[in-house]
Coordinates of all heavy atoms in Angstrom, one line a residue:
M1 N 88.3 87.0 102.1 CA 89.5 86.1 102.0 C 90.5 86.7 101.0 O 91.7 86.7 101.3 CB 89.1 84.7 101.6 CG 88.4 83.9 102.7 SD 88.0 82.2 102.3 CE 86.5 82.5 101.4
A2 N 90.0 87.2 99.9 CA 90.9 87.7 98.9 C 91.6 89.0 99.5 O 92.8 89.2 99.2 CB 90.1 88.1 97.7
L3 N 90.9 89.7 100.2 CA 91.5 90.9 100.9 C 92.7 90.5 101.7 O 93.8 91.2 101.7 CB 90.5 91.7 101.7 CG 90.9 92.9 102.5 CD1 91.6 93.9 101.6 CD2 89.8 93.5 103.2
S4 N 92.5 89.5 102.5 CA 93.5 89.0 103.4 C 94.8 88.5 102.6 O 95.9 88.8 102.9 CB 93.0 87.9 104.3 OG 94.0 87.3 105.1
V5 N 94.5 87.8 101.5 CA 95.6 87.3 100.6 C 96.3 88.5 100.1 O 97.6 88.5 100.1 CB 95.0 86.4 99.5 CG1 96.1 86.1 98.5 CG2 94.5 85.1 100.1
E6 N 95.6 89.5 99.6 CA 96.3 90.7 99.0 C 97.1 91.4 100.0 O 98.2 91.9 99.7 CB 95.3 91.6 98.3 CG 94.5 91.0 97.1 CD 95.4 90.5 96.0 OE1 96.6 90.9 95.9 OE2 95.0 89.6 95.2
A7 N 96.6 91.6 101.2 CA 97.3 92.2 102.3 C 98.6 91.4 102.6 O 99.7 92.0 102.8 CB 96.5 92.4 103.6
S8 N 98.5 90.1 102.6 CA 99.7 89.2 102.8 C 100.7 89.4 101.7 O 101.9 89.3 101.9 CB 99.2 87.8 102.9 OG 98.4 87.6 104.0
E9 N 100.2 89.7 100.5 CA 101.1 89.9 99.4 C 102.0 91.2 99.6 O 103.1 91.3 99.2 CB 100.4 90.0 98.0 CG 99.9 88.6 97.6 CD 99.1 88.5 96.4 OE1 98.8 89.6 95.8 OE2 98.7 87.4 95.9
I10 N 101.4 92.2 100.3 CA 102.2 93.3 100.7 C 103.2 92.9 101.7 O 104.4 93.3 101.6 CB 101.3 94.4 101.3 CG1 100.4 95.0 100.2 CG2 102.1 95.6 102.0 CD1 99.4 96.1 100.7
V11 N 102.8 92.2 102.7 CA 103.8 91.7 103.7 C 104.9 90.9 103.1 O 106.1 91.1 103.5 CB 103.1 90.9 104.8 CG1 104.0 90.2 105.8 CG2 102.0 91.7 105.5
E12 N 104.6 90.1 102.1 CA 105.6 89.3 101.4 C 106.7 90.1 100.8 O 107.8 89.7 100.8 CB 104.9 88.5 100.4 CG 105.7 87.3 99.8 CD 104.9 86.5 98.8 OE1 104.0 87.0 98.2 OE2 105.2 85.3 98.7
I13 N 106.3 91.3 100.3 CA 107.4 92.2 99.7 C 108.4 92.6 100.7 O 109.6 92.6 100.4 CB 106.7 93.5 99.1 CG1 105.8 93.1 97.9 CG2 107.7 94.5 98.7 CD1 104.9 94.2 97.5
F14 N 108.0 92.8 101.9 CA 108.9 93.2 103.0 C 109.6 92.1 103.8 O 110.5 92.3 104.6 CB 108.2 94.2 103.9 CG 107.8 95.5 103.3 CD1 106.5 95.6 102.8 CD2 108.7 96.5 103.1 CE1 106.1 96.8 102.1 CE2 108.3 97.7 102.4 CZ 107.0 97.8 101.9
Q15 N 109.0 90.9 103.6 CA 109.5 89.7 104.4 C 111.0 89.5 104.1 O 111.4 89.6 102.9 CB 108.7 88.5 103.9 CG 109.0 87.3 104.8 CD 108.2 86.1 104.4 OE1 107.7 86.0 103.3 NE2 108.0 85.2 105.3
W16 N 111.8 89.3 105.1 CA 113.2 89.0 105.1 C 114.1 90.2 104.7 O 115.3 90.1 104.6 CB 113.5 87.9 104.1 CG 112.7 86.7 104.2 CD1 111.8 86.1 103.3 CD2 112.5 85.9 105.4 NE1 111.2 85.1 103.8 CE2 111.6 84.8 105.1 CE3 113.1 85.9 106.6 CZ2 111.2 83.9 106.0 CZ3 112.7 84.9 107.6 CH2 111.8 83.9 107.2
M17 N 113.5 91.4 104.6 CA 114.3 92.6 104.4 C 114.8 93.1 105.7 O 114.1 93.1 106.7 CB 113.4 93.7 103.8 CG 113.3 93.7 102.3 SD 112.4 95.2 101.8 CE 112.0 94.7 100.2
E18 N 116.0 93.7 105.6 CA 116.5 94.5 106.7 C 115.7 95.8 106.8 O 115.2 96.2 105.7 CB 118.0 94.8 106.6 CG 118.9 93.5 106.6 CD 118.9 92.8 107.9 OE1 118.7 93.5 109.0 OE2 119.2 91.6 108.0
S19 N 115.7 96.4 107.9 CA 114.9 97.6 108.1 C 115.3 98.7 107.1 O 114.4 99.3 106.5 CB 115.1 98.1 109.5 OG 114.3 99.3 109.7
E20 N 116.6 98.9 106.9 CA 117.1 99.9 106.0 C 116.6 99.7 104.6 O 116.2 100.6 103.9 CB 118.6 99.9 106.0 CG 119.3 101.1 105.5 CD 120.8 101.1 105.7 OE1 121.2 101.2 106.8 OE2 121.5 100.9 104.7
E21 N 116.6 98.4 104.1 CA 116.2 98.1 102.8 C 114.7 98.4 102.6 O 114.3 98.8 101.5 CB 116.5 96.6 102.5 CG 116.2 96.2 101.0 CD 116.4 94.7 100.8 OE1 116.7 94.0 101.8 OE2 116.2 94.3 99.6
S22 N 114.0 98.2 103.6 CA 112.5 98.4 103.5 C 112.1 99.8 103.3 O 111.0 100.1 102.8 CB 111.8 97.8 104.8 OG 112.0 98.7 105.9
Y23 N 113.0 100.8 103.6 CA 112.8 102.2 103.4 C 113.3 102.7 102.0 O 113.1 103.8 101.7 CB 113.4 103.0 104.5 CG 112.6 102.9 105.8 CD1 113.2 102.2 106.8 CD2 111.4 103.5 106.0 CE1 112.6 102.0 108.1 CE2 110.7 103.3 107.2 CZ 111.3 102.6 108.2 OH 110.7 102.5 109.4
D24 N 114.0 101.8 101.3 CA 114.6 102.2 100.1 C 114.3 101.1 99.1 O 115.3 100.4 98.6 CB 116.1 102.5 100.3 CG 116.7 103.0 99.1 OD1 116.0 103.7 98.2 OD2 118.0 102.9 98.9
L25 N 113.1 100.9 98.6 CA 112.7 99.8 97.8 C 113.3 100.0 96.4 O 113.3 101.1 95.8 CB 111.2 99.7 97.7 CG 110.5 99.3 99.0 CD1 109.0 99.2 98.7 CD2 111.0 98.0 99.6
S26 N 113.6 98.9 95.7 CA 114.0 98.9 94.3 C 112.8 99.3 93.5 O 111.7 99.2 93.9 CB 114.6 97.6 93.9 OG 113.5 96.6 93.9
S27 N 113.1 99.8 92.3 CA 111.9 100.1 91.4 C 111.0 99.0 91.2 O 109.8 99.1 91.1 CB 112.4 100.8 90.1 OG 113.2 99.9 89.4
E28 N 111.6 97.8 91.1 CA 110.8 96.6 90.9 C 109.9 96.3 92.1 O 108.7 96.0 91.9 CB 111.7 95.4 90.7 CG 111.0 94.1 90.4 CD 112.0 92.9 90.2 OE1 112.9 93.0 89.4 OE2 111.9 91.9 91.0
K29 N 110.4 96.4 93.3 CA 109.6 96.2 94.5 C 108.6 97.3 94.7 O 107.5 97.0 95.1 CB 110.5 96.1 95.7 CG 111.5 95.0 95.7 CD 111.1 93.9 96.6 CE 112.2 92.8 96.6 NZ 111.8 91.6 97.1
L30 N 108.9 98.5 94.3 CA 108.0 99.6 94.4 C 106.8 99.4 93.5 O 105.7 99.6 93.9 CB 108.7 100.9 94.1 CG 108.2 102.2 94.6 CD1 107.9 102.2 96.1 CD2 109.1 103.4 94.3
E31 N 107.1 98.9 92.3 CA 106.0 98.7 91.4 C 105.1 97.5 91.9 O 103.9 97.6 91.8 CB 106.6 98.3 90.0 CG 105.6 98.2 88.9 CD 106.3 97.9 87.5 OE1 107.4 98.4 87.3 OE2 105.7 97.1 86.7
K32 N 105.8 96.5 92.4 CA 105.0 95.4 93.0 C 104.1 95.9 94.2 O 102.9 95.6 94.3 CB 106.0 94.3 93.5 CG 105.3 93.2 94.2 CD 104.9 92.1 93.3 CE 104.4 90.9 94.0 NZ 103.2 90.3 93.4
L33 N 104.7 96.7 95.0 CA 103.9 97.3 96.1 C 102.7 98.1 95.7 O 101.6 98.0 96.2 CB 104.8 98.2 97.0 CG 104.2 98.9 98.2 CD1 103.6 97.9 99.2 CD2 105.2 99.8 98.9
E34 N 103.0 98.9 94.6 CA 101.9 99.7 94.1 C 100.7 98.8 93.6 O 99.5 99.1 93.9 CB 102.4 100.6 92.9 CG 101.3 101.4 92.3 CD 101.9 102.2 91.1 OE1 102.6 103.2 91.3 OE2 101.5 101.9 90.0
G35 N 101.1 97.7 92.9 CA 100.0 96.8 92.5 C 99.3 96.2 93.6 O 98.0 96.0 93.6
E36 N 100.0 95.8 94.7 CA 99.3 95.1 95.8 C 98.5 96.1 96.6 O 97.4 95.7 97.1 CB 100.4 94.4 96.7 CG 101.2 93.4 96.0 CD 100.4 92.3 95.3 OE1 99.2 92.2 95.5 OE2 101.0 91.6 94.4
I37 N 98.9 97.3 96.7 CA 98.1 98.4 97.4 C 96.8 98.6 96.6 O 95.8 98.7 97.2 CB 98.9 99.7 97.6 CG1 100.0 99.5 98.7 CG2 98.0 100.9 97.9 CD1 100.9 100.7 98.8
A38 N 96.9 98.6 95.3 CA 95.7 98.7 94.5 C 94.8 97.5 94.7 O 93.6 97.7 94.9 CB 96.1 98.8 93.0
D39 N 95.4 96.3 94.8 CA 94.5 95.2 95.0 C 93.8 95.3 96.3 O 92.6 95.0 96.4 CB 95.4 93.9 95.0 CG 95.9 93.5 93.6 OD1 95.3 93.9 92.6 OD2 96.9 92.7 93.6
V40 N 94.5 95.6 97.4 CA 93.9 95.8 98.7 C 92.8 96.8 98.7 O 91.7 96.6 99.1 CB 94.9 96.1 99.8 CG1 94.3 96.5 101.1 CG2 95.8 94.9 100.0
L41 N 93.1 98.0 98.1 CA 92.1 99.1 98.0 C 90.9 98.7 97.2 O 89.7 98.9 97.7 CB 92.8 100.3 97.4 CG 91.9 101.5 97.3 CD1 91.3 102.0 98.7 CD2 92.6 102.7 96.6
L42 N 91.1 98.0 96.1 CA 89.9 97.6 95.3 C 89.0 96.6 96.1 O 87.8 96.7 96.1 CB 90.4 97.0 94.0 CG 91.0 98.0 93.0 CD1 91.7 97.3 91.9 CD2 89.9 99.0 92.5
Y43 N 89.6 95.7 96.8 CA 88.8 94.8 97.6 C 88.1 95.5 98.8 O 86.9 95.2 99.1 CB 89.6 93.5 98.1 CG 89.8 92.5 97.1 CD1 91.0 92.1 96.6 CD2 88.7 91.8 96.6 CE1 91.2 91.2 95.7 CE2 88.8 90.8 95.6 CZ 90.1 90.5 95.2 OH 90.2 89.6 94.2
L44 N 88.8 96.4 99.4 CA 88.2 97.2 100.5 C 87.0 98.0 99.9 O 85.9 98.1 100.6 CB 89.2 98.2 101.1 CG 90.0 97.6 102.2 CD1 91.0 98.7 102.7 CD2 89.2 97.2 103.4
L45 N 87.1 98.6 98.8 CA 86.1 99.4 98.2 C 84.9 98.5 97.8 O 83.7 98.9 98.0 CB 86.6 100.2 96.9 CG 87.6 101.3 97.3 CD1 88.1 101.9 96.0 CD2 86.9 102.4 98.1
Q46 N 85.1 97.3 97.3 CA 84.1 96.4 97.0 C 83.3 96.0 98.3 O 82.1 96.0 98.3 CB 84.6 95.1 96.4 CG 84.9 95.1 95.0 CD 85.3 93.8 94.4 OE1 86.1 93.1 95.0 NE2 84.7 93.4 93.3
L47 N 84.0 95.7 99.4 CA 83.4 95.4 100.6 C 82.6 96.6 101.2 O 81.5 96.4 101.7 CB 84.5 94.9 101.6 CG 84.1 94.4 103.0 CD1 83.3 93.1 102.8 CD2 85.4 94.1 103.8
S48 N 83.2 97.7 101.1 CA 82.5 98.9 101.6 C 81.2 99.1 100.8 O 80.2 99.4 101.4 CB 83.4 100.1 101.4 OG 84.6 100.0 102.1
A49 N 81.3 99.0 99.5 CA 80.1 99.2 98.7 C 79.0 98.2 99.0 O 77.8 98.5 99.1 CB 80.5 99.1 97.2
K50 N 79.4 96.9 99.2 CA 78.5 95.9 99.5 C 77.7 96.2 100.8 O 76.5 95.9 100.9 CB 79.2 94.5 99.7 CG 78.4 93.4 100.2 CD 77.6 92.8 99.1 CE 76.8 91.6 99.5 NZ 75.8 91.3 98.5
F51 N 78.3 96.8 101.8 CA 77.6 97.1 103.1 C 77.3 98.5 103.2 O 77.0 99.0 104.3 CB 78.5 96.5 104.2 CG 78.5 95.1 104.3 CD1 79.6 94.4 103.7 CD2 77.5 94.3 104.8 CE1 79.6 93.0 103.7 CE2 77.5 92.9 104.8 CZ 78.6 92.3 104.3
E52 N 77.4 99.3 102.1 CA 77.1 100.7 102.1 C 77.8 101.5 103.2 O 77.2 102.3 103.9 CB 75.5 100.9 102.2 CG 74.9 100.3 101.0 CD 73.3 100.4 101.0 OE1 72.8 100.9 102.0 OE2 72.7 100.1 100.0
I53 N 79.1 101.2 103.3 CA 79.9 101.9 104.3 C 80.8 102.9 103.5 O 81.4 102.5 102.5 CB 80.8 100.9 105.0 CG1 79.9 100.0 106.0 CG2 81.9 101.6 105.8 CD1 80.7 98.9 106.5
D54 N 80.8 104.1 104.0 CA 81.7 105.1 103.3 C 83.1 104.9 104.0 O 83.2 105.2 105.2 CB 81.1 106.5 103.6 CG 82.0 107.6 103.1 OD1 83.3 107.4 102.9 OD2 81.5 108.7 102.7
P55 N 84.0 104.4 103.2 CA 85.3 104.1 103.9 C 86.1 105.3 104.4 O 86.8 105.2 105.4 CB 86.1 103.4 102.7 CG 85.5 103.8 101.5 CD 84.0 104.1 101.8
V56 N 85.9 106.5 103.8 CA 86.5 107.7 104.2 C 85.9 108.1 105.6 O 86.7 108.5 106.5 CB 86.5 108.8 103.2 CG1 87.1 110.1 103.7 CG2 87.2 108.4 101.9
K57 N 84.6 108.1 105.7 CA 84.0 108.4 107.0 C 84.4 107.4 108.0 O 84.6 107.8 109.2 CB 82.4 108.4 106.8 CG 81.8 109.7 106.3 CD 80.3 109.6 106.4 CE 79.7 110.7 105.7 NZ 78.2 110.5 105.5
A58 N 84.4 106.1 107.7 CA 84.8 105.1 108.6 C 86.2 105.3 109.1 O 86.5 105.2 110.3 CB 84.7 103.7 108.0
A59 N 87.1 105.7 108.3 CA 88.5 106.0 108.6 C 88.6 107.2 109.6 O 89.3 107.2 110.6 CB 89.4 106.1 107.4
S60 N 87.8 108.2 109.2 CA 87.8 109.4 110.0 C 87.3 109.1 111.4 O 87.8 109.6 112.4 CB 86.9 110.5 109.3 OG 86.8 111.7 110.1
R61 N 86.2 108.4 111.5 CA 85.6 108.0 112.8 C 86.7 107.2 113.6 O 86.9 107.4 114.8 CB 84.4 107.1 112.7 CG 83.2 108.0 112.4 CD 81.9 107.1 112.6 NE 80.8 107.8 112.0 CZ 80.1 107.3 110.9 NH1 80.4 106.1 110.5 NH2 79.1 108.0 110.4
K62 N 87.4 106.3 113.0 CA 88.4 105.5 113.6 C 89.5 106.3 114.2 O 90.1 106.1 115.2 CB 88.9 104.4 112.6 CG 89.8 103.4 113.3 CD 89.0 102.5 114.3 CE 89.9 101.4 114.8 NZ 89.1 100.5 115.7
L63 N 89.9 107.3 113.4 CA 91.0 108.2 113.8 C 90.6 109.0 115.1 O 91.4 109.2 116.0 CB 91.4 109.2 112.7 CG 92.2 108.7 111.6 CD1 92.3 109.7 110.5 CD2 93.6 108.2 112.1
Q64 N 89.3 109.4 115.1 CA 88.8 110.1 116.3 C 88.8 109.1 117.6 O 89.2 109.5 118.7 CB 87.4 110.6 116.1 CG 87.3 111.8 115.1 CD 85.9 112.2 114.7 OE1 84.9 111.5 115.1 NE2 85.8 113.3 114.0
V65 N 88.4 107.9 117.3 CA 88.4 106.9 118.4 C 89.8 106.7 118.9 O 90.1 106.7 120.1 CB 87.8 105.5 118.0 CG1 88.1 104.4 119.0 CG2 86.3 105.7 117.7
N66 N 90.8 106.5 117.9 CA 92.2 106.2 118.3 C 92.8 107.4 119.0 O 93.6 107.3 119.9 CB 93.0 105.9 117.1 CG 92.7 104.5 116.6 OD1 92.0 103.7 117.3 ND2 93.1 104.2 115.4
E67 N 92.4 108.6 118.6 CA 92.9 109.8 119.3 C 92.6 109.8 120.8 O 93.4 110.3 121.6 CB 92.3 111.1 118.6 CG 93.0 112.3 118.9 CD 92.4 113.5 118.0 OE1 91.7 113.3 117.0 OE2 92.6 114.6 118.5
K68 N 91.4 109.3 121.1 CA 91.0 109.3 122.5 C 91.7 108.1 123.2 O 92.1 108.3 124.4 CB 89.5 109.1 122.6 CG 88.7 110.4 122.3 CD 87.2 110.2 122.4 CE 86.6 111.5 122.0 NZ 85.2 111.3 121.4
K69 N 91.8 107.0 122.5 CA 92.5 105.8 123.1 C 94.0 106.1 123.3 O 94.6 105.5 124.2 CB 92.3 104.6 122.2 CG 91.0 103.9 122.4 CD 90.8 102.9 121.3 CE 90.8 101.5 121.7 NZ 90.5 100.6 120.6
Y70 N 94.5 106.8 122.4 CA 96.0 107.0 122.4 C 96.3 108.5 122.4 O 96.8 109.1 121.4 CB 96.6 106.4 121.1 CG 96.4 104.8 121.1 CD1 95.4 104.3 120.4 CD2 97.4 104.0 121.8 CE1 95.2 102.9 120.4 CE2 97.2 102.6 121.8 CZ 96.1 102.1 121.1 OH 96.0 100.7 121.1
P71 N 96.1 109.2 123.5 CA 96.4 110.6 123.6 C 97.9 110.8 123.3 O 98.8 110.1 123.8 CB 96.0 111.0 125.0 CG 95.8 109.8 125.7 CD 95.6 108.7 124.8
I72 N 98.2 111.8 122.5 CA 99.6 112.0 122.0 C 100.6 112.1 123.2 O 101.8 111.6 123.1 CB 99.7 113.2 121.1 CG1 101.0 113.2 120.3 CG2 99.5 114.5 121.8 CD1 101.0 114.0 119.1
E73 N 100.2 112.7 124.3 CA 101.2 112.9 125.4 C 101.6 111.5 126.0 O 102.6 111.4 126.6 CB 100.7 113.9 126.4 CG 99.4 113.5 127.2 CD 98.1 113.8 126.4 OE1 98.2 114.3 125.3 OE2 97.1 113.6 127.0
K74 N 100.7 110.5 125.9 CA 101.0 109.2 126.4 C 101.5 108.3 125.3 O 102.4 107.4 125.6 CB 99.8 108.6 127.0 CG 99.3 109.2 128.3 CD 98.1 108.5 128.8 CE 97.6 109.2 130.1 NZ 96.4 108.5 130.6
A75 N 101.0 108.4 124.1 CA 101.3 107.4 123.1 C 102.5 107.7 122.2 O 103.1 106.8 121.7 CB 100.1 107.3 122.2
K76 N 102.9 109.0 122.1 CA 104.0 109.3 121.2 C 105.3 108.6 121.5 O 105.7 108.7 122.7 CB 104.2 110.8 121.1 CG 105.2 111.2 120.1 CD 105.3 112.7 120.0 CE 106.3 113.1 118.9 NZ 106.5 114.5 118.7
G77 N 105.8 107.9 120.6 CA 107.0 107.1 120.8 C 106.9 105.8 121.6 O 107.9 105.2 121.9
S78 N 105.6 105.5 121.9 CA 105.4 104.2 122.7 C 104.7 103.2 121.8 O 103.9 103.5 121.0 CB 104.5 104.6 123.9 OG 104.1 103.4 124.5
A79 N 105.1 102.0 122.0 CA 104.4 100.8 121.3 C 103.4 100.2 122.2 O 102.9 99.1 121.9 CB 105.4 99.9 120.9
K80 N 103.1 100.8 123.4 CA 102.2 100.2 124.3 C 100.7 100.2 123.8 O 100.3 101.2 123.1 CB 102.2 100.9 125.7 CG 103.5 100.6 126.4 CD 103.5 101.3 127.8 CE 104.8 101.0 128.5 NZ 104.8 101.7 129.8
K81 N 99.9 99.3 124.2 CA 98.5 99.3 123.9 C 97.8 100.2 124.8 O 98.3 100.5 125.9 CB 97.9 97.8 124.1 CG 96.6 97.6 123.4 CD 96.2 96.2 123.4 CE 94.8 96.1 122.8 NZ 94.3 94.7 122.8
Y82 N 96.6 100.7 124.4 CA 96.0 101.8 125.1 C 95.7 101.4 126.6 O 95.7 102.2 127.5 CB 94.6 102.2 124.5 CG 93.6 101.1 124.4 CD1 92.7 100.9 125.4 CD2 93.6 100.2 123.4 CE1 91.7 99.9 125.4 CE2 92.7 99.2 123.3 CZ 91.7 99.0 124.3 OH 90.8 98.0 124.3
N83 N 95.5 100.1 126.9 CA 95.2 99.7 128.2 C 96.5 99.5 129.1 O 96.4 99.0 130.2 CB 94.3 98.5 128.3 CG 94.9 97.3 127.6 OD1 96.0 97.3 127.1 ND2 94.2 96.2 127.6
E84 N 97.6 99.7 128.5 CA 98.9 99.6 129.2 C 99.5 100.9 129.7 O 100.6 100.9 130.3 CB 99.9 98.8 128.3 CG 99.4 97.4 128.0 CD 100.3 96.7 127.0 OE1 101.0 97.4 126.2 OE2 100.3 95.5 126.9
F85 N 98.8 102.0 129.4 CA 99.4 103.3 129.8 C 99.3 103.5 131.3 O 98.4 103.1 131.9 CB 98.7 104.5 129.1 CG 98.9 104.6 127.6 CD1 97.9 104.8 126.7 CD2 100.2 104.4 127.1 CE1 98.1 104.8 125.4 CE2 100.5 104.5 125.7 CZ 99.4 104.7 124.9
Ligands
LIG1 MG1 97.9 90.9 94.4

């Protein structure tokens, strides 16, 4: 639950921003983002440790799965889901 709240705090930073502003954060917003990214990472690491999951290996495996689901020649520049190609 805390992980979800912290992820939402990241979203909150960008809520109501125009796209252009979201790519050029003020130093105050950037500092806030850094803190919230740290919060999310710390909760993820706690969860990973609890279930003895190596988060780097998990991410690597997921990238391999996504590479097959979303081959670059079909997915590049597309927002379609893998079953919509
Ligand atoms: Mg926080």
Side-chain angles (χ1 to χ4, degrees):
M1 286 185 278
L3 174 59
S4 176
V5 169
E6 296 302 340
S8 295
E9 288 178 356
I10 291 176
V11 173
E12 192 177 28
I13 292 169
F14 295 97
Q15 189 179 22
W16 311 120
M17 272 186 197
E18 296 292 333
S19 180
E20 194 173 293
E21 186 185 2
S22 72
Y23 290 106
D24 188 24
L25 296 181
S26 66
S27 57
E28 183 182 303
K29 298 259 183 192
L30 202 53
E31 190 177 323
K32 176 84 176 140
L33 178 61
E34 182 181 286
E36 300 310 342
I37 285 174
D39 287 341
V40 168
L41 180 59
L42 290 169
Y43 279 117
L44 274 178
L45 291 174
Q46 278 186 312
L47 187 62
S48 299
K50 174 76 180 167
F51 291 98
E52 298 179 353
I53 292 169
D54 178 332
V56 175
K57 274 187 190 169
S60 180
R61 282 195 195 115
K62 189 66 176 187
L63 284 172
Q64 289 172 354
V65 168
N66 286 346
E67 196 176 339
K68 287 180 184 152
K69 279 168 111 174
Y70 296 95
I72 196 161
E73 64 276 4
K74 289 183 181 174
K76 188 175 181 181
S78 170
K80 288 182 179 174
K81 196 171 177 181
Y82 64 91
N83 60 359
E84 297 172 338
F85 292 134

